Amino acid sequence: MRNYIIRRVALLIPTFLLLTVLVFLLIRLMPGDVIELMVMQHSHEQAGQTQVDIDAIRSMVGLDKPFMTQYWDWLKGMLHGDLGSSYWTRRSVTGDILGRLPVTFELGFLAFLIAQIVAIPVGILAAIRQDSPGDYIVRSIAILGVAVPSFWLGTMVMVFPSIWWGWSPPERYIPLTEDWWLNLQQFLIPATIIGFGMAGLEIRMLRTTMLDVLRQDYVRTAWSKGLRERTVLVRHVFKNSAIPVVTIIAGQIGVVIGGAVILENIFNLPGMGRLFLDAINSRDYPYITGMNALFSIFGLVMILITDLSYAWLDPRIRYR
Amino acid sequence: MTEIPVTAGNHAPKRRSSAADFVIRLVKEKPLGTLGAIIILIILFAALGANFIAPYDPLQSSLRDKLQPPSVTHPMGTDNLGRDLFSRIIYGARISLYIGLGASVINVIVATLLGLVSGYVGGWIDLLLHRFVDLALSLPSLIILITLVGILGSGWLQITLIMGINGGILWTRVVRSSVISIRENTYVEAAKTIGGNIWHIMRRHILPNIMPVMIIIFSVSIAGNIMAEAGLSFLGLGVPPPTPSWGGMLSADGRRFMYEAWWLAVFPGLILTVVVYGVNMWGDAVRDLLDPRLRGGIGRYGTRIKVKVNKIELIKNHKQE
């Protein structure tokens, strides 16, 4: 098991380096860079911009150095927790990200919680009552959860309560420490929408694998031993169905982050998703590079945890 | 998850059934898949014949008719510039389908090429490709798409290519694992023994056998691609306006007017949901019909645990929002 872990961790490093080099290269290869945008904005304020100014700004943000030097500096900074500073405002990228992190984390955590609370019991019920009306209803709703775009659902929730009852979610973001009740009101709807999308996939997955496991010989043995239904379902069936579901859950992190980008946009929450979109729109490259690096570290660690829990749940993988 | 063998054992690949056979089985065994196929055909028809079907020019604004509720003359109402929403949705089908189908074609091409190389040749190429796969897996697709569109600029060509390549890399694993299972067959061994070179073996022995996988990848990835395009357009990173796209109609610019005009919020999202639902059903049906390991009883083909893993791979790739 230890060798397995070491090998898996060692393989993460080249992947991470590959990502950062790719993002770095792509950004610097592209024409029409941020400097021209900045000069254009400046020239609104004062006429007579010259090549000198462009060069001055370029060296101010460090884009005049050779590529490898830039990359190396960035990598060193990152290992010290410094992701550089904004081209426009000179604010620290790390500071900004840390400031926004709690919002996205809360959103993601709530969404995850909602998805699990819904998906696990519903998935189990759909499997043990296969082909019952309940099963059909659950399956149709689960498929809808995958087919309904989160941005449409979010838009509808914004628009219709406002038309019918004149109700709309609070405009201003209220931190958890200020008023937890208002804060929860603000987060619950977007979190439910993300959670709904997650649950849809998970229910389908859980149902399929449960049905597989329910037909296994050892489950028949468990029944014929006279075990209680609860024991058979939880100890024998659910535990064995959990393995594929765990992989799905890790993949869901992508759904959460993607959902956060979209729903923070709709519901006016100042989280990482909004920060990311703003950075893209203003071509503030240190943010784009930094957040991509952060997301991918997060994703790689999730992949690792999945693989490890996989190995932990299924000894056949561990001992191969 | 990089080390898990994905395919079932060394079952001899079955003869492919003819197209007619496939249609008959689709209609007989998969009512929802048939419904999906019908939805796709209708939308395809609308997209191709938009010039003839749409009652109005989707770009023609007439401020006199702005924000009209649905009526006989404007079945889905008009938007803030007085453009007919029904016509815009019909034209929007073009963007959705062209980009969705185009990206899916590229998905298949990229996944097949990379999967063939990494599965058959293996070695350091395989190792390198796996890093790319891990990379694409580690980041949410939406983040990758936004980043690349942000850097490369937004236009239908860029979006199609970006979605095609990104998705293709993710699907590589599925192709790779079927290539590996086919590679172990005696007939490949025999072809090698009589001196068949690598291109010959790939073209004559491997490629025909991964055809079902290629068709599955194409069908299953359409829904995700359509959804991704709509998401990008919603965020203002898709095909630039005034070109009508379903996601774009729901974006922030449109949202301001939805409080007075509910139809602007309902119809584009509704049609998108119906199409994604239909395409999803179609993809599922194609997968079930073409993949012998997923058909019918468990354990008939290969061992059980391997069947399960294969399903995970397919379902996991299924969501590419």
Side-chain angles (χ1 to χ4, degrees):
Chain A
M1 189 71 185
R2 215 183 67 204
N3 285 341
Y4 182 80
I5 295 177
I6 292 172
R7 205 165 49 113
R8 299 285 326 167
V9 172
L11 279 174
L12 294 186
I13 296 165
T15 310
F16 176 74
L17 291 179
L18 184 70
L19 169 90
T20 49
V21 169
L22 271 182
V23 175
F24 240 77
L25 256 181
L26 273 176
I27 283 178
R28 276 151 186 85
L29 282 181
M30 273 297 113
D33 63 3
V34 62
I35 307 297
E36 281 163 35
L37 258 171
M38 290 169 82
V39 170
M40 256 156 57
Q41 202 202 36
H42 270 279
S43 53
H44 280 300
E45 292 153 18
Q46 63 209 65
Q49 289 289 325
T50 57
Q51 188 60 36
V52 181
D53 294 309
I54 295 184
D55 289 345
I57 300 175
R58 203 176 282 277
S59 80
M60 190 176 80
V61 297
L63 279 175
D64 57 336
K65 294 181 203 154
F67 172 77
M68 279 319 289
T69 321
Q70 286 182 37
Y71 180 66
W72 182 243
D73 286 348
W74 180 83
L75 205 63
K76 266 194 303 196
M78 197 211 64
L79 291 175
H80 291 105
D82 174 20
L83 292 169
S85 54
S86 160
Y87 283 169
W88 297 89
T89 60
R90 311 303 300 160
R91 287 158 62 107
S92 154
V93 174
T94 318
D96 257 9
I97 290 178
L98 287 181
R100 304 289 190 106
L101 201 61
V103 176
T104 306
F105 184 78
E106 188 183 347
L107 187 63
F109 180 74
L110 276 176
F112 182 78
L113 213 64
I114 291 170
Q116 303 318 313
I117 291 172
V118 174
I120 292 176
V122 168
I124 293 177
L125 276 178
I128 58 179
R129 303 266 179 276
Q130 193 192 358
D131 293 330
S132 69
D135 181 31
Y136 278 111
I137 295 170
V138 164
R139 273 160 71 191
S140 330
I141 294 177
I143 292 169
L144 273 186
V146 181
V148 179
S150 61
F151 53 86
W152 184 47
L153 216 54
T155 307
M156 299 283 278
V157 173
M158 282 294 265
V159 170
F160 279 90
S162 157
I163 292 178
W164 290 331
W165 307 301
W167 179 88
S168 55
E171 276 285 302
R172 191 178 64 88
Y173 164 67
I174 301 142
L176 191 63
T177 44
E178 201 178 299
D179 186 335
W180 66 270
W181 175 236
L182 279 178
N183 173 278
L184 199 64
Q185 279 183 8
Q186 215 170 11
F187 276 87
L188 214 51
I189 296 171
T192 310
I193 293 172
I194 301 176
F196 181 55
M198 289 169 75
L201 205 70
E202 228 177 288
I203 289 172
R204 289 175 70 187
M205 193 72 210
L206 187 57
R207 181 180 169 278
T208 321
T209 50
M210 284 270 296
L211 287 177
D212 267 5
V213 176
L214 275 169
R215 281 158 186 66
Q216 300 280 357
D217 293 339
Y218 58 79
V219 174
R220 194 182 323 130
T221 312
W223 284 121
S224 48
K225 274 198 298 193
L227 293 180
R228 279 176 308 160
E229 184 178 15
R230 238 179 74 109
T231 318
V232 176
L233 288 181
V234 175
R235 289 277 293 279
H236 294 265
V237 181
F238 180 68
K239 215 176 153 195
N240 281 296
S241 317
I243 299 171
V245 175
V246 166
T247 30
I248 283 293
I249 290 177
Q252 302 279 43
I253 299 300
V255 181
V256 170
I257 296 177
V261 172
I262 281 173
L263 291 163
E264 282 172 8
N265 184 34
I266 300 178
F267 286 87
N268 229 359
L269 297 171
M272 305 256 285
R274 273 267 296 280
L275 188 67
F276 188 66
L277 266 188
D278 292 345
I280 288 284
N281 286 327
S282 61
R283 294 176 181 237
D284 210 336
Y285 295 143
Y287 282 96
I288 302 174
T289 324
M291 292 181 80
N292 264 300
L294 199 73
F295 285 139
S296 88
I297 290 178
F298 193 59
L300 288 171
V301 170
M302 281 316 290
I303 293 178
L304 182 71
I305 293 176
T306 318
D307 281 5
L308 293 185
S309 57
Y310 219 101
W312 177 65
L313 286 164
D314 190 344
R316 276 170 298 189
I317 295 167
R318 202 183 324 158
Y319 293 119
R320 213 184 36 219
Chain B
M1 68 200 64
T2 45
E3 308 300 330
I4 304 155
V6 179
T7 34
N10 303 331
H11 67 277
K14 299 189 128 195
R15 236 239 168 273
R16 273 176 295 131
S17 46
S18 66
D21 219 40
F22 178 80
V23 173
I24 292 168
R25 281 185 55 212
L26 178 74
V27 175
K28 262 191 183 162
E29 294 173 28
K30 299 281 169 192
L32 280 178
T34 315
L35 181 69
I38 293 171
I39 292 176
I40 296 176
L41 283 178
I42 292 175
I43 293 297
L44 200 62
F45 180 67
L48 292 176
N51 302 9
F52 306 103
I53 302 165
Y56 298 90
D57 179 348
L59 302 178
Q60 178 68 51
S61 58
S62 95
L63 291 176
R64 205 156 41 94
D65 300 323
K66 73 171 183 180
L67 297 179
Q68 294 283 318
S71 62
V72 181
T73 43
H74 297 287
M76 292 183 181
T78 60
D79 68 2
N80 54 312
L81 294 175
R83 297 174 295 195
D84 181 50
L85 194 59
F86 181 59
S87 307
R88 285 179 68 71
I89 283 179
I90 288 178
Y91 274 90
R94 280 196 173 166
I95 291 296
S96 269
L97 275 195
Y98 291 176
I99 294 184
L101 295 179
S104 297
V105 170
I106 300 175
N107 282 348
V108 174
I109 295 173
V110 170
T112 308
L113 287 179
L114 296 184
L116 273 176
V117 173
S118 84
Y120 193 80
V121 182
W124 66 270
I125 297 181
D126 187 33
L127 206 66
L128 182 69
L129 274 172
H130 246 111
R131 302 288 74 75
F132 275 94
V133 172
D134 269 358
L135 186 65
L137 270 178
S138 75
L139 279 170
S141 290
L142 191 66
I143 298 289
I144 299 181
L145 296 183
I146 292 176
T147 305
L148 290 178
V149 169
I151 295 174
L152 302 176
S154 61
W156 66 269
L157 188 64
Q158 284 97 322
I159 294 175
T160 313
L161 280 174
I162 291 169
M163 292 195 330
I165 293 172
N166 178 45
I169 290 177
L170 286 172
W171 282 109
T172 303
R173 290 169 304 160
V174 178
V175 176
R176 174 181 175 272
S177 55
S178 20
V179 170
I180 287 177
S181 77
I182 291 162
R183 193 183 62 183
E184 305 299 325
N185 278 313
T186 339
Y187 56 84
V188 176
E189 204 65 39
K192 258 192 254 174
T193 319
I194 59 168
N197 72 15
I198 180 168
W199 300 117
H200 173 83
I201 294 172
M202 275 198 192
R203 223 183 53 238
R204 294 302 298 271
H205 297 288
I206 309 237
L207 205 57
N209 281 312
I210 58 169
M211 270 309 264
V213 177
M214 290 163 70
I215 296 172
I216 291 171
I217 292 177
F218 176 74
S219 310
V220 172
S221 58
I222 300 173
N225 286 332
I226 288 181
M227 195 77 124
E229 184 276 323
L232 281 178
S233 299
F234 171 78
L235 293 172
L237 295 166
V239 179
T243 311
S245 77
W246 297 338
M249 290 178 215
L250 292 167
S251 70
D253 295 337
R255 206 182 316 142
R256 283 181 289 142
F257 301 97
M258 289 173 190
Y259 296 97
E260 323 156 37
W262 55 267
W263 52 94
L264 291 179
V266 172
F267 292 118
L270 191 65
I271 193 82
L272 178 61
T273 305
V274 170
V275 169
V276 171
Y277 179 82
V279 177
N280 254 327
M281 291 299 100
W282 158 255
D284 279 5
V286 170
R287 188 185 63 200
D288 290 353
L289 290 179
L290 288 187
D291 192 337
R293 291 177 300 263
L294 297 179
R295 195 191 300 155
I298 309 151
R300 257 200 295 163
Y301 313 84
T303 57
R304 280 173 184 149
I305 182 70
K306 284 173 180 168
V307 172
K308 259 194 265 173
V309 174
N310 195 329
K311 276 186 201 168
I312 301 163
E313 293 288 332
L314 287 167
I315 296 180
K316 220 158 52 184
N317 265 322
H318 195 159
K319 61 106 222 158
Q320 289 190 10
E321 299 130 72

